[in-house]
Amino acid sequence: MENATYATETLDAWVLLGLPGAIPAATFLTSPRAAQYRLIVGLLAERQTTSLTGVGHDELIALVHTRLPLESADALVASLNLDERLTQLVEWGTCEAWQEPAHSEADFLRNR
């Protein structure tokens, strides 16, 4: 037996069928907070067509704010917990995150 790793793995009946499996990057579509994730991913995708450098955190907050109903935008942005939503999207592989180098003392102190 050349490949003994199969003996130690447990095989799932669904895997044996050869059907396509789950796509973790698309998990945001079926999440309980799917509307929030779709809003964020949609905005990131739109900006991708005009920006080669991505979207900054502050810029994303402003973009989200403009997409929400004016009378409740502040409350909805506050309840969105954007950092958690973005972290989850990165974990699913839906988008990537990177940190810019800090150029000032305020950049060092700010949670980026």
Side-chain angles (χ1 to χ4, degrees), residues 27-39:
T27 303
F28 75 94
L29 294 170
T30 58
S31 162
R33 292 189 172 98
Q36 294 175 2
Y37 288 118
R38 283 194 315 267
L39 172 65

Side-chain angles (χ1 to χ4, degrees), residues 11 18 28 37 39 52 59 90 98:
L11 294 177
F28 75 94
Y37 288 118
L39 172 65
L52 297 174
E59 181 184 2
V90 169
W98 69 91

Side-chain angles (χ1 to χ4, degrees), residues 23-28 41 86-97:
I23 302 172
T27 303
F28 75 94
V41 171
L86 291 172
T87 299
Q88 184 62 62
L89 287 167
V90 169
E91 288 176 10
W92 285 330
T94 306
C95 55
E96 296 179 11

Side-chain angles (χ1 to χ4, degrees), residues 18-91:
L19 298 173
I23 302 172
T27 303
F28 75 94
L29 294 170
T30 58
S31 162
R33 292 189 172 98
Q36 294 175 2
Y37 288 118
R38 283 194 315 267
L39 172 65
I40 295 167
V41 171
L43 289 169
L44 293 174
E46 282 179 20
R47 290 291 295 146
Q48 188 176 17
T49 63
T50 60
S51 173
L52 297 174
T53 59
V55 179
H57 189 272
D58 296 339
E59 181 184 2
L60 184 57
I61 291 172
L63 289 170
V64 168
H65 197 276
T66 62
R67 285 291 178 93
L68 298 172
L70 188 56
E71 63 278 354
S72 58
D74 292 334
L76 289 172
V77 168
S79 69
L80 179 62
N81 202 344
L82 187 61
D83 290 336
E84 281 186 23
R85 300 291 87 70
L86 291 172
T87 299
Q88 184 62 62
L89 287 167
V90 169
E91 288 176 10

